[in-house]
Amino acid sequence: MRYNIAMVSDFFYPQPGGIESHIYQLSSKLISLGHSVIIITHAHGSRVGVRYLTHGLKVYYVPFYVLYRESTFPSVFSFFPILRNILIREEIEIVHGHGSLSSLCHEAILHSRTMGLRTVFTDHSLFGFADPGSILGNKMLKFTLSDIGHVICVSHTCKENTVLRASLDPVTVSVIPNAVVASNFRPDPFKASSEYITIIVISRLYPNKGADLLTAVIPNICKIHPTVRFIIAGSGPREIDLEQMREKFQLQERVELVGSIRHEDVRDVMVKGHIYLHPTLTEAFGTVLVEAASCGLLVVTTKVGGIPEVLPSHMTIFSSPSEDSLTQSTLEAIKLIESKAVDTSKFHEQVKGMYGWHDVARRTENVYDIVAKIDNEPVIDRLKRYYGCGIWAGKLFVMCVVIDYLLLRFLEWLYPESGIDRVRKWPRRPIDKPLLAGENSESAKIESEDEDSGLGGTTAMP
């Protein structure tokens, strides 16, 4: 069955990142399966209004104030009027939110359920339970997911974390991993230096991404191995610490800070290296690890979160999130590369067979089939679920939902649905045909990915 789907999140292009890439690639593949997909996100600088991406993927850049790390200010109700207008104009049937820290996502799910639409939520991150930020975030997540059709997590570790944080029934949570367009991450052995062992790091430079750990490890490795150099791509508040470290240990010629890069430039940076270093302290999946392996890099990573589920053991060297352990694991990887004890030239073909967006889209489509069969229940039953979220929080959540219903009635009076024009849909692509006799399913899948890789997912047409 074909659906009209709205992807909602604060995290989307031109901001680079894993969630941004996931939303774009998934949306593109759903369009190739015959669905109609739009994306709703906040404005980025002068990028305000409606933009079209490859294959007619429409993006609504809504002007909202960004509070912190690309998340908008949580206004709760002010997003409802424009969201309702978009959903009615586009005749949306399923609203799919992404990201636990996205205010737009949480608000869209709340308002969509008030309008009687089906909802799905994808969690891409791991969070704790003890610090004040996690306690508040978990309570908000429980509020949002108290009335959700289905939840998708990108790894089994992420599923366990989300089930505990939001007190969910595990039956309503599915695990669908991320993927890569392998054709966009082909290795090029001639780009890597033959004189140096080059270690690549591509990450947001924040504490939870291990930027402090990276700053401590680099001088140790450079001191032991004079033929090692680093290329670091990414930006964040810890970038100044890396610059100071480079000055202090006089490593300007061996540590290159590239800064923030676009997603389509990631491969060009990766193929210059031999090893990919991932010092993160928390990670639900780690798509960049798959991209690095696809480019033929040996991966050194901390063994946290869902990372052990991502790649087979012969492609990775695991470390605990400590300075000494990460240093030793990196030195072990350098030794393997120098002795040619590991053949990274076969990684690309192996990754190509493990991950593909076609499979992710098909499995997501199955989730949509599940939520489409769920009947809308009476308002009182919905309020009962919110009331059970806590002694004080439950009453607050019920009040929010009641106000949301009253606001909906006001908007229906002020802007009647009959007065909102319906947009003309971009011509739907024909549904993927079944394979012909003797056709190889893997080759068909790869060919489809090559066709849909397009511009790498970051270039918008005016």
Side-chain angles (χ1 to χ4, degrees):
M1 185 175 177
R2 294 179 172 184
Y3 301 106
N4 294 331
I5 305 160
M7 302 283 183
V8 186
S9 180
D10 281 311
F11 312 111
F12 192 65
Y13 295 133
Q15 172 73 18
I19 298 178
E20 293 83 348
S21 176
H22 177 101
I23 295 174
Y24 172 79
Q25 296 292 351
L26 175 59
S27 300
S28 297
K29 292 306 297 182
L30 287 171
I31 290 175
S32 72
L33 293 174
H35 302 283
S36 175
V37 184
I38 66 167
I39 295 173
I40 303 174
T41 187
H42 66 76
H44 290 266
S46 61
R47 189 171 300 217
V48 183
V50 179
R51 299 292 180 95
Y52 283 90
L53 306 186
T54 311
H55 300 317
L57 177 58
K58 183 189 291 188
V59 184
Y60 285 86
Y61 288 97
V62 183
F64 271 91
Y65 176 73
V66 176
L67 182 63
Y68 177 67
R69 291 184 67 174
E70 296 304 321
S71 290
T72 52
F73 185 83
S75 57
V76 186
F77 301 112
S78 65
F79 183 44
F80 199 179
I82 190 170
L83 177 69
R84 174 179 175 269
N85 189 283
I86 293 173
L87 298 181
I88 293 175
R89 281 170 52 83
E90 298 287 347
E91 299 179 291
I92 296 300
E93 300 163 309
I94 297 175
V95 174
H96 190 161
H98 293 261
S100 296
L101 295 179
S102 171
S103 300
L104 284 186
C105 164
H106 292 289
E107 294 174 21
I109 291 175
L110 168 65
H111 303 322
S112 298
R113 289 300 300 134
T114 300
M115 294 175 64
L117 301 178
R118 273 63 176 175
T119 54
V120 176
F121 173 77
T122 296
D123 199 357
H124 298 261
S125 307
L126 301 176
F127 290 91
F129 300 89
D131 59 283
S134 295
I135 293 173
L136 178 61
N138 295 342
K139 183 60 71 173
M140 291 307 300
L141 184 68
K142 186 175 181 180
F143 168 51
T144 302
L145 301 188
S146 291
D147 188 30
I148 195 76
H150 204 84
V151 177
I152 298 173
C153 294
V154 295
S155 68
H156 292 280
T157 302
C158 182
K159 175 180 177 178
E160 294 175 4
N161 183 261
T162 303
V163 167
L164 291 174
R165 289 162 55 209
S167 303
L168 295 173
D169 181 355
V171 176
T172 64
V173 184
S174 299
V175 176
I176 304 177
N178 288 326
V180 297
V181 180
S183 60
N184 288 348
F185 296 93
R186 291 189 174 98
D188 188 349
F190 299 104
K191 290 291 183 67
S193 172
S194 59
E195 299 177 1
Y196 296 93
I197 298 294
T198 304
I199 300 177
I200 305 295
V201 180
I202 301 178
S203 173
R204 291 189 177 102
L205 301 179
Y206 284 86
N208 65 308
K209 292 296 182 180
D212 296 329
L213 187 58
L214 179 65
T215 304
V217 163
I218 289 177
N220 298 340
I221 297 172
C222 289
K223 181 179 179 180
I224 297 172
H225 268 276
T227 59
V228 170
R229 68 187 185 104
F230 287 82
I231 299 178
I232 303 172
S235 60
R238 291 297 189 267
E239 187 173 2
I240 186 66
D241 294 341
L242 286 169
E243 292 176 352
Q244 292 175 346
M245 176 274 296
R246 189 172 61 170
E247 295 289 336
K248 177 180 179 180
F249 293 95
Q250 298 181 354
L251 298 173
Q252 291 88 343
E253 295 183 358
R254 298 178 62 187
V255 179
E256 179 182 355
L257 299 177
V258 179
S260 180
I261 61 174
R262 297 182 300 175
H263 189 258
E264 64 261 36
D265 297 327
V266 168
R267 183 257 179 190
D268 295 334
V269 174
M270 283 186 170
V271 294
K272 296 179 181 179
H274 305 87
I275 298 169
Y276 182 80
L277 180 59
H278 196 63
T280 185
L281 303 182
T282 177
E283 195 79 73
F285 183 83
T287 307
V288 69
L289 303 180
V290 184
E291 295 171 347
S294 181
C295 288
L297 275 64
L298 180 61
V299 175
V300 179
T301 177
T302 48
K303 194 174 184 179
V304 295
I307 286 180
E309 304 175 31
V310 177
L311 293 171
S313 58
H314 68 280
M315 295 183 183
T316 55
I317 296 177
F318 291 112
S319 160
S320 63
S322 66
E323 179 181 342
D324 292 339
S325 178
L326 189 59
T327 300
Q328 290 301 318
S329 297
T330 307
L331 294 176
E332 180 184 347
I334 294 172
K335 184 178 179 180
L336 291 175
I337 294 296
E338 288 180 332
S339 63
K340 298 182 179 180
V342 59
D343 184 8
T344 60
S345 62
K346 299 179 180 179
F347 286 3
H348 176 75
E349 292 299 324
Q350 294 170 355
V351 168
K352 186 188 296 185
M354 287 188 288
Y355 293 102
W357 284 109
H358 185 88
D359 177 61
V360 172
R362 283 293 189 188
R363 294 165 70 176
T364 304
E365 192 178 43
N366 292 337
V367 171
Y368 294 157
D369 290 337
I370 293 173
V371 299
K373 297 175 183 177
I374 300 176
D375 296 326
N376 284 322
E377 56 189 0
V379 177
I380 190 66
D381 292 337
R382 187 182 178 208
L383 294 177
K384 287 179 181 178
R385 282 202 302 274
Y386 286 115
Y387 191 79
C389 289
I391 298 176
W392 296 107
K395 296 179 176 62
L396 178 62
F397 294 165
V398 168
M399 187 182 303
C400 288
V401 175
V402 170
I403 294 175
D404 210 45
Y405 271 108
L406 295 176
L407 180 58
L408 175 62
R409 297 292 174 258
F410 175 74
L411 292 174
E412 289 176 342
W413 170 78
L414 188 63
Y415 304 108
E417 185 174 335
S418 58
I420 300 176
D421 294 334
R422 274 39 171 193
V423 300
R424 177 181 293 183
K425 292 291 185 181
W426 191 274
R428 291 182 188 258
R429 299 187 63 180
I431 298 177
D432 288 359
K433 299 178 181 178
L435 298 178
L436 300 176
E439 185 177 1
N440 182 274
S441 59
E442 184 62 28
S443 63
K445 178 178 71 173
I446 294 169
E447 181 182 358
S448 177
E449 288 190 352
D450 288 343
E451 174 190 336
D452 288 336
S453 59
L455 299 172
T458 57
T459 304
M461 296 185 296

